[in-house]
Amino acid sequence: MKRRRILGLGLGLTGASMLGGFAKPGQAEQKLTPSQMRGPFYPRRFPLDKDFDLTRVAGSAGTAFGEILTVSGRVTDVDGRALEGVAIEIWQVNGHGRYHHEGDDSTKPIDPNFQGYGIVATDAQGRYQFRTVKPIAYPGRAPHIHFALTPRTGSPLSTQMYLAGAKENAGDFLLRGVSDKTQRDSLIVAFEKTGDQLSGTFDIVLPAS
């Protein structure tokens, strides 16, 4: 567990170099990240291991099935101010396309090496980072990762992150339901590939409190 905490700190510092700075005076107000439904597969029971790295489970030597994906970003308010201490939860399907949830009756396998859920808090610059696997399409849905944010003050937000280039995006009813193109595009993340791993930046904008 100590090694994983150190790894998490190292990833956070790496991600910091990729992320933007604070808002400049006179910068235009940013558009809010649109709300998306939490969905039926928010965990009923949380895993004992629920850190930033969903690809490893404490006590197991295995690694989750699927393409490794690092998602990082900043949480700011509409004025561009970094929001510290925002609790960010994510949950998603495993690399086979199944949620770790009692309500998912898919015949696809459960991956014992995949956490399925993680939670972190933003740092003083509003930064966060998760290590997970690339989600795949779920029946009726485009590939996506669920996010739930709980700031120290102000209202919580549930939203979803989508993968740029996924053919299912055009037919996803929740993504299509975001009428403002700028807001809709803000939910779609393009990934870069380094070796056999992917990385992408998902910045989130909350109301000013």
Side-chain angles (χ1 to χ4, degrees):
M1 292 302 292
K2 289 183 179 178
R3 182 191 67 79
R4 298 183 72 191
R5 292 193 189 100
I6 293 169
L7 176 60
L9 292 171
L11 284 170
L13 292 171
T14 301
S17 66
M18 300 164 54
L19 303 173
F22 292 99
K24 298 177 182 179
Q27 178 175 312
E29 183 176 276
Q30 303 176 74
K31 288 199 172 185
L32 294 171
T33 297
S35 174
Q36 298 256 279
M37 65 182 294
R38 178 174 285 198
F41 298 124
Y42 181 77
R44 293 176 186 167
R45 292 193 296 269
F46 297 104
L48 295 178
D49 188 6
K50 50 188 178 183
D51 63 359
F52 78 100
D53 188 354
L54 279 66
T55 69
R56 303 290 297 272
V57 174
S60 173
T63 301
F65 172 81
E67 194 168 7
I68 302 299
L69 168 64
T70 297
V71 179
S72 58
R74 290 183 74 226
V75 180
T76 62
D77 66 15
V78 290
D79 297 319
R81 290 186 289 261
L83 297 178
E84 182 180 4
V86 178
I88 304 180
E89 304 168 85
I90 68 167
W91 64 100
Q92 64 172 89
V93 295
N94 62 25
H96 302 291
R98 182 172 179 171
Y99 284 94
H100 287 200
H101 191 281
E102 300 89 331
D104 188 344
D105 58 2
S106 169
T107 58
K108 295 178 180 178
I110 291 175
D111 183 355
N113 294 314
F114 184 60
Q115 274 182 200
Y117 169 92
I119 182 169
V120 299
T122 56
D123 67 11
Q125 284 73 49
R127 302 171 301 190
Y128 74 89
Q129 190 165 71
F130 287 100
R131 181 179 172 88
T132 184
V133 297
K134 179 182 177 182
I136 64 174
Y138 185 82
R141 295 298 317 281
H144 61 281
I145 298 176
H146 293 268
F147 279 70
L149 292 89
T150 305
R152 289 176 171 174
T153 60
S155 301
L157 171 74
S158 292
T159 192
Q160 298 180 31
M161 187 201 82
Y162 300 82
L163 281 62
K167 63 182 181 180
E168 298 87 357
N169 286 348
D172 190 280
F173 74 100
L174 280 178
L175 185 58
R176 290 174 58 191
V178 181
S179 58
D180 185 287
K181 185 179 185 302
T182 300
Q183 288 186 305
R184 184 169 65 250
D185 289 348
S186 74
L187 297 178
I188 303 173
V189 174
F191 297 106
E192 295 183 357
K193 190 163 188 176
T194 303
D196 60 351
Q197 299 189 17
L198 296 169
S199 63
T201 301
F202 183 43
D203 292 330
I204 300 170
V205 181
L206 300 179
S209 58

